[in-house]
Amino acid sequence: MHYFASDIHLGAGTKAEAQATEQRFVAWLDFVKSDAETLFLLGDIFDFWFEYRKVVPKGFVRTLAKLAELSESGVRVVMLTGNHDMWVRDYLTEECGVELYTTPQTFTFDGRTIFVAHGDNMRIEGQWMLQLMNSCFRSRLLRCLFSWLVHPDLALSFGQAWSASSRKKHASADDFTEALTEPLIDYARDWAKDHTVDHFVFGHMHYPRDYREEGLHVVSLGCWDLTPSYAQLDKEGNLTLIKLD
């Protein structure tokens, strides 16, 4: 079985809320380890992660230990970075055995092709401020300057405040409906015109949705503090969205 999850936002909220989210996620990792061949983590696993060359954010030891356990047991753990945890280096790979990607990827299992992405920089044409932010956040030069000039304590404080503001705006939106996922469906529809893909899986929008039309199947995953969900791909090539209580 191949499993997909995103937007855990570890560390978000109050201390009690953050602990509850991590406990739920670690319990789910324990649940899937019995038959998982591949575990896909599609971004924003951490509410904020900025990795210096020799310094990583405090906390998350239960999750990191569980990911290392899964990897060492033979499960392929694949992580695509999101807009909250794009500043990774080599820690997760070297310590936890995580296979890291910073761009959308395509995988084939049992004859079925799966397109996976976080979904944060898709269909943003015309949104110049968002495009500028994406360019700045993904600039290697600016990242290096930030890590050289800003003490880790200040960097983490700034990042956590920014993440909390972004998450609050997302959660309080009046239009928290399936319409949020339409840009991702449009992106998948255009991509499918020139590529053969059986299933698309996205995160980012926090709204769980299983969308199907002729020749197109798109799954959007929910966030784990409000709408926890995951997807699973079985040996027959069926991709199913599962919402947690």
Side-chain angles (χ1 to χ4, degrees):
M1 196 81 73
H2 309 281
Y3 292 97
F4 306 78
S6 74
D7 298 280
I8 316 303
H9 288 279
L10 292 170
T14 66
K15 184 176 181 179
E17 291 169 340
Q19 288 177 340
T21 298
E22 184 168 27
Q23 288 170 354
R24 175 186 291 168
F25 182 55
V26 170
W28 179 75
L29 292 176
D30 263 330
F31 167 72
V32 305
K33 72 179 181 181
S34 62
D35 64 351
E37 296 180 41
T38 314
L39 171 64
F40 286 96
L41 303 174
L42 302 188
D44 288 1
I45 306 307
F46 306 96
D47 197 49
F48 180 73
W49 181 278
F50 189 94
E51 186 177 329
Y52 288 74
R53 189 164 63 90
K54 293 187 177 181
V55 177
V56 297
K58 179 180 178 181
F60 321 121
V61 292
R62 294 164 185 80
T63 297
L64 297 175
K66 187 59 62 177
L67 293 178
E69 177 187 330
L70 288 169
S71 178
E72 290 170 1
S73 70
V75 177
R76 183 183 181 188
V77 181
V78 178
M79 177 177 168
L80 279 71
T81 56
N83 53 305
H84 285 250
D85 52 16
M86 68 179 77
W87 305 279
V88 294
R89 291 175 68 98
D90 57 4
Y91 179 79
L92 295 175
T93 297
E94 293 186 356
E95 293 296 324
C96 304
V98 175
E99 187 178 324
L100 278 171
Y101 297 93
T102 58
T103 58
Q105 299 293 314
T106 302
F107 297 87
T108 300
F109 300 108
D110 302 312
R112 298 298 177 102
T113 301
I114 317 297
F115 180 99
V116 292
H118 181 62
D120 59 308
N121 57 353
M122 295 176 172
R123 284 292 181 265
I124 60 173
E125 298 86 351
Q127 302 181 53
W128 66 268
M129 181 59 72
L130 187 55
Q131 289 176 312
L132 177 61
M133 289 176 60
N134 276 338
S135 298
C136 291
F137 287 158
R138 287 172 169 78
S139 167
R140 180 172 295 183
L141 174 60
L142 292 180
R143 173 182 166 176
C144 289
L145 289 174
F146 187 80
S147 64
W148 290 338
L149 299 174
V150 182
H151 187 279
D153 286 349
L154 293 176
L156 267 293
S157 295
F158 166 77
Q160 289 163 353
W162 168 77
S163 293
S165 175
S166 173
R167 189 166 29 81
K168 183 178 180 180
K169 185 183 298 183
H170 202 154
S172 63
D174 293 331
D175 58 348
F176 189 66
T177 67
E178 65 180 21
L180 286 170
T181 65
E182 290 296 334
L184 299 180
I185 293 172
D186 287 342
Y187 179 94
R189 191 179 288 118
D190 285 347
W191 183 270
K193 292 177 181 178
D194 300 314
H195 306 82
T196 301
V197 177
D198 295 287
H199 309 289
F200 291 84
V201 188
F202 298 107
H204 184 56
M205 292 304 183
H206 292 191
Y207 194 96
R209 185 183 184 187
D210 188 325
Y211 177 84
R212 300 170 189 262
E213 65 180 52
E214 185 177 356
L216 185 69
H217 183 206
V218 181
V219 167
S220 295
L221 301 168
C223 65
W224 279 56
D225 58 343
L226 295 175
T227 53
S229 64
Y230 66 95
Q232 63 182 36
L233 178 72
D234 62 25
K235 285 291 187 181
E236 286 69 46
N238 301 308
L239 181 68
T240 307
L241 175 65
I242 299 174
K243 299 178 183 179
L244 299 175
D245 294 333

